[in-house]
Amino acid sequence: MRLLLIPLLAVLLQGCVAPQHHNLDAFYARQSRSIVVVPVVNESPELTADSVFITTISQPLAERGYYVFPVYLTDMILGDFGLVEAGHIHQLPPQRFHELFGADAVLLVTIKDWSTKYLGLASAVVVSMEYVLKDTKTGEVLWQNDQTYAHSSGGGGSLIGMAISAALNALLTDYLPLARQANLLAFQPPKGLPAGPYHPEYQQDKGRF
Amino acid sequence: MRSLCLNIPMPAVLSLLLTGCAPQGLYYWGDYESSLYERYVENGNQQSEAYLRSTFTEAEARHRKVPPGVYADYGFQQKDEAIQSASDASVPAQGDGQ
């Protein structure tokens, strides 16, 4: 019975994403070229989640064809202006990021979940993020998406083996590959980010979003 | 008949298909993520500059594009170090004057 619950759990976690109606009119109208990723709001119980996550966001975003400001440098510059708290930074008028960086758009990421869930002796590692892209001139939302990625383990084998594997997973859980996968999926069609000006498919992939 | 894709996880295969089987990305990323991981997660700065330097030198050697922001990140690291060593040097000088 417990073993059957694991896939169910995974399905439920994946199923949390609400269906979205994508209106990309503003996105296509603004034709953003550069995106600044500001510090990530962490709503998960894992204190290091935002630090680990921020290392994974530049590559998939830039590979979609946008100029991505170097995240560490961005943090330092925000810090120089006394802006260190992610929750506060997310509340700023998006126009502020045009003043500070000259970026066309700002990406606000909120970590909704970043945890290992146990069900009996099996475990599921889950990461879940909300991505919101805002225009830095008009302040409007250009694009948004939610992405959950889960990896479950410990579904088979002996009870002792499962206990050991669950314990090891708890100690050595590496969320990095999950965050990478979530980002990759979040930017892919149909709900993802259409190709930007540095991508060969720029303005040719509208049919897929 | 044995496919090369056999050991590649599905999302990777999917992303390959979606990007039109592009053999490589737009940029050569090298150790950029390692430099970020060291600074953000390990709260260190020992290798970051070397990671950044190797990222763009290797990209240039392979005639690949350097990822956005890597030069800026590297320049800023060097500026920080210069300021740090300048202030380190000024401390004993002040001590001598007193």
Side-chain angles (χ1 to χ4, degrees), chain B residues 28 53-66 71:
Chain B
Y28 176 81
R53 195 187 313 114
S54 73
T55 301
F56 64 75
T57 52
E58 283 174 32
E60 287 160 1
R62 289 159 202 244
H63 304 290
R64 299 278 310 279
K65 281 165 83 178
V66 176
Y71 286 126

Side-chain angles (χ1 to χ4, degrees), chain A residues 15 23 36 40 56 63 78 89 110 114 127-128 137 140 144 146 167 192:
Chain A
N23 181 349
V36 62
V40 172
T56 68
E63 290 289 345
L78 288 172
I89 292 167
T110 303
W114 189 279
V127 297
S128 186
K137 297 239 176 58
E140 65 198 314
Q144 58 186 322
D146 297 296

Side-chain angles (χ1 to χ4, degrees), chain A residues 1-111:
Chain A
M1 191 55 199
R2 276 180 176 169
L3 296 184
L4 285 175
L5 281 171
I6 299 299
L8 186 65
L9 181 72
V11 167
L12 284 174
L13 289 166
Q14 299 279 6
C16 286
V17 180
Q20 289 181 345
H21 298 285
H22 268 259
N23 181 349
L24 290 172
D25 291 350
F27 181 90
Y28 287 123
R30 301 303 305 170
Q31 296 197 326
S32 309
R33 301 183 64 85
S34 60
I35 298 173
V36 62
V37 185
V38 295
V40 172
V41 170
N42 182 13
E43 292 181 357
S44 85
E46 176 57 55
L47 290 176
T48 61
D50 51 332
S51 303
V52 174
F53 177 84
I54 196 74
T55 68
T56 68
I57 190 72
S58 306
Q59 182 166 354
L61 189 55
E63 290 289 345
R64 290 304 293 147
Y66 297 89
Y67 179 88
V68 179
F69 286 75
V71 287
Y72 191 79
L73 193 43
T74 300
D75 285 11
M76 305 276 279
I77 291 168
L78 288 172
D80 284 347
F81 285 88
L83 301 169
V84 288
E85 210 272 306
H88 171 60
I89 292 167
H90 283 220
Q91 296 302 316
L92 292 171
Q95 287 82 354
R96 192 83 180 98
F97 303 110
H98 187 263
E99 294 165 11
L100 288 174
F101 299 100
D104 296 331
V106 56
L107 183 67
L108 306 161
V109 180
T110 303
I111 296 170

